[in-house]
Amino acid sequence: MVGRSTAKIQIRDYRETDRSFVVSLSDETHHELRGMDPDRFPPAVVRDSSNWFERGLYESWARRSLFLLAQVGDEPAGFILAGPTNDSWTPTPDEPRPPQKIGEVYELHVAKAHRRKGVGSALLDASERELARQGFAYVTLVHLAQNSVAAQLYAASGYRPRWVVQEKTLSPTL
């Protein structure tokens, strides 16, 4: 079990009783992302987190990775999912660095009332410590370019751009 307190912030493992908070916060955050980039997140793409729970996906992630919850007092304030990376842009055989265990932050969500109060940093710190303890050499994450608050948090936590992912919408008439 992971446990940590920073001021009033406590970090602990996810429990089944946290489900309604996680679903609600995840849905709220994904709707915010739609507001930042409506072309990339049309209504059909903004996922309904409760469906993820119904299909057992969050529980599946929790079994193979870190699923941590932040609390401020008795109030849930945010959560993080992190574990082995599944991306395709981490080191390749032709890169000079030897193969290493790579971690990834899959999702980090902080409730509006608790943003810019250290909750995101506390969740990142706790997940990074646990990933390091498990032998991961480094950790990656991806965030929406328009999410300047997330970019500031990650930069302040020592994350640096390594790859730039760009996209272009294609027309079927091309």
Side-chain angles (χ1 to χ4, degrees):
M1 176 161 180
V2 176
R4 175 178 186 241
S5 293
T6 303
K8 301 176 198 172
I9 303 167
Q10 297 176 354
I11 306 297
R12 63 169 175 77
D13 292 322
Y14 168 83
R15 300 178 194 142
E16 181 60 30
T17 56
D18 301 322
R19 176 186 272 210
S20 62
F21 168 75
V22 169
V23 168
S24 175
L25 180 57
S26 184
D27 283 346
E28 175 185 311
T29 306
H30 285 100
H31 285 284
E32 287 179 43
L33 292 175
R34 182 178 187 281
M36 289 180 199
D37 190 351
D39 292 333
R40 182 71 173 110
F41 292 94
V45 172
V46 176
R47 76 165 182 250
D48 175 2
S49 299
S50 59
N51 288 338
W52 281 60
F53 273 103
E54 288 169 15
R55 294 190 339 243
L57 296 175
Y58 273 118
E59 285 86 351
S60 172
W61 275 358
R63 282 190 296 277
R64 66 181 171 90
S65 35
L66 303 173
F67 196 167
L68 305 176
L69 188 102
Q71 285 186 204
V72 176
D74 291 334
E75 183 180 349
F79 72 91
I80 192 167
L81 282 161
T85 190
N86 295 315
D87 71 41
S88 60
W89 56 78
T90 48
T92 58
D94 59 333
E95 286 191 6
R97 105 171 75 169
Q100 299 169 320
K101 227 172 139 178
I102 304 162
E104 180 178 357
V105 173
Y106 307 131
E107 295 196 32
L108 171 60
H109 301 271
V110 177
K112 283 182 184 179
H114 297 286
R115 292 183 187 160
R116 297 187 176 262
K117 297 180 181 177
V119 172
S121 296
L123 285 163
L124 279 173
D125 290 348
S127 66
E128 290 165 4
R129 274 196 314 279
E130 182 59 20
L131 289 170
R133 188 191 69 71
Q134 292 178 20
F136 288 86
Y138 62 99
V139 63
T140 65
L141 56 81
V142 177
H143 67 86
L144 191 61
Q146 295 90 323
N147 193 342
S148 60
V149 173
Q152 291 169 7
L153 167 65
Y154 300 140
S157 297
Y159 288 80
R160 300 291 174 256
R162 177 152 187 241
W163 295 91
V164 175
V165 177
Q166 298 183 356
E167 74 176 33
K168 175 182 176 181
T169 302
L170 299 177
S171 169
T173 59
L174 290 180

